[in-house]
Amino acid sequence: MSEYMIRVPKKADAPQIIDYVNLVAEETDNLTFGQGEFSVTVEAEEHLIEQSNNDPNRLFLIACEQDSVIAMMTFQARTRERLKHYGEFGLSVQKHYWGKGIAKSMLTQLIEWAKDNQQIRKINLEVRADNDRAIQLYKRVGFREEGRISRYFQIDDNFYDAIIMGLAID
Ligand SMILES: CC(C)(COP(=O)(O)OP(=O)(O)OC[C@H]1O[C@@H](n2cnc3c(N)ncnc32)[C@H](O)[C@@H]1OP(=O)(O)O)[C@@H](O)C(=O)NCCC(=O)NCCS
């Protein structure tokens, strides 16, 4: 039984976050980056953590088991006046920990946080159209399909569509 904690990251988590992102980039083709594409320095990651934690319209969450990061979620609202009522998030869980409800807990926290935020009125996302696991999860927490983008991803010689999903925050 795994004992994990979901929390906002501190600057000191930067090296573990980098290790985590490199690991999940290897484990899945469902993210917007692949193996070897994440080349952020510890200093840059520390800066990102600080920036996110100081911005009331961003939310950065990690799930940790002892000293390791096992899941991560980052949400960012748009900044232009006419677009700043919505944002998008990225979410991943280390494969070993799939199916334990970690992603669902992080999304539930994001939705609760968004409801308490005066500015956020909508959460959008794009997900690879064949990522049934993620799509099921998003539907389970209330997201609805709103459209489809063809050739959203190109991985090697193959194109993959993305489904657009959204959740109104009232
Ligand atoms: C998608 C992902 C974040 C889900 O994380 P997770 O922690 O395994 O998800 P949870 O355990 O919270 O699962 C919650 C829901 O997923 C769905 N689910 C779980 N296993 C599933 C499976 N084998 N097939 C389809 N749906 C499944 C269920 O709806 C489940 O809800 P329930 O437990 O109430 O039935 C994780 O698989 C992942 O990191 N994948 C790679 C990266 C990725 O795809 N990120 C999303 C990009 S948009």
Side-chain angles (χ1 to χ4, degrees):
M1 166 86 189
S2 78
E3 296 271 342
Y4 67 88
M5 178 197 269
I6 297 174
R7 61 172 174 82
V8 169
K10 304 185 284 268
K11 268 170 74 173
D13 296 312
Q16 284 76 27
I17 290 172
I18 293 171
D19 289 348
Y20 167 79
V21 176
N22 282 311
L23 177 70
V24 290
E26 248 180 81
E27 283 185 339
T28 177
D29 269 340
N30 285 326
L31 297 171
T32 51
F33 52 90
Q35 188 174 0
E37 284 182 46
F38 188 73
S39 52
V40 171
T41 62
V42 172
E43 291 70 31
E45 187 60 43
E46 286 175 350
H47 180 65
L48 279 171
I49 293 167
E50 239 177 6
Q51 245 186 345
S52 176
N53 293 350
N54 290 332
D55 185 336
N57 299 311
R58 289 194 198 190
L59 182 64
F60 191 164
L61 292 177
I62 53 174
C64 299
E65 190 184 56
Q66 289 161 359
D67 287 340
S68 298
V69 174
I70 60 168
M72 181 169 137
M73 198 277 320
T74 54
F75 171 92
Q76 187 169 358
R78 298 287 299 262
T79 50
R80 281 181 194 263
E81 185 58 32
R82 293 180 176 183
L83 306 178
K84 67 181 174 51
H85 60 286
Y86 77 84
E88 297 197 359
F89 67 88
L91 171 66
S92 61
V93 176
Q94 194 183 315
K95 205 166 201 168
H96 178 74
Y97 296 91
W98 284 9
K100 296 178 189 296
I102 299 176
K104 197 174 185 179
S105 295
M106 291 179 116
L107 276 181
T108 306
Q109 287 196 27
L110 169 66
I111 294 165
E112 288 310 309
W113 170 86
K115 284 180 180 165
D116 285 342
N117 177 301
Q118 300 302 305
Q119 182 182 307
I120 313 295
R121 306 297 307 281
K122 176 101 192 283
I123 302 175
N124 291 330
L125 66 90
E126 286 112 33
V127 54
R128 217 174 102 165
D130 59 358
N131 190 350
D132 297 336
R133 197 182 179 87
I135 293 168
Q136 280 308 314
L137 165 64
Y138 298 144
K139 285 185 177 162
R140 192 71 62 118
V141 297
F143 283 82
R144 295 210 183 138
E145 283 191 30
E146 297 188 346
R148 188 176 185 106
I149 309 174
S150 66
R151 294 194 170 193
Y152 183 83
F153 288 92
Q154 183 179 4
I155 303 174
D156 302 323
D157 289 333
N158 300 310
F159 293 113
Y160 300 89
D161 293 0
I163 304 285
I164 305 168
M165 300 183 84
L167 175 71
I169 303 293
D170 292 317

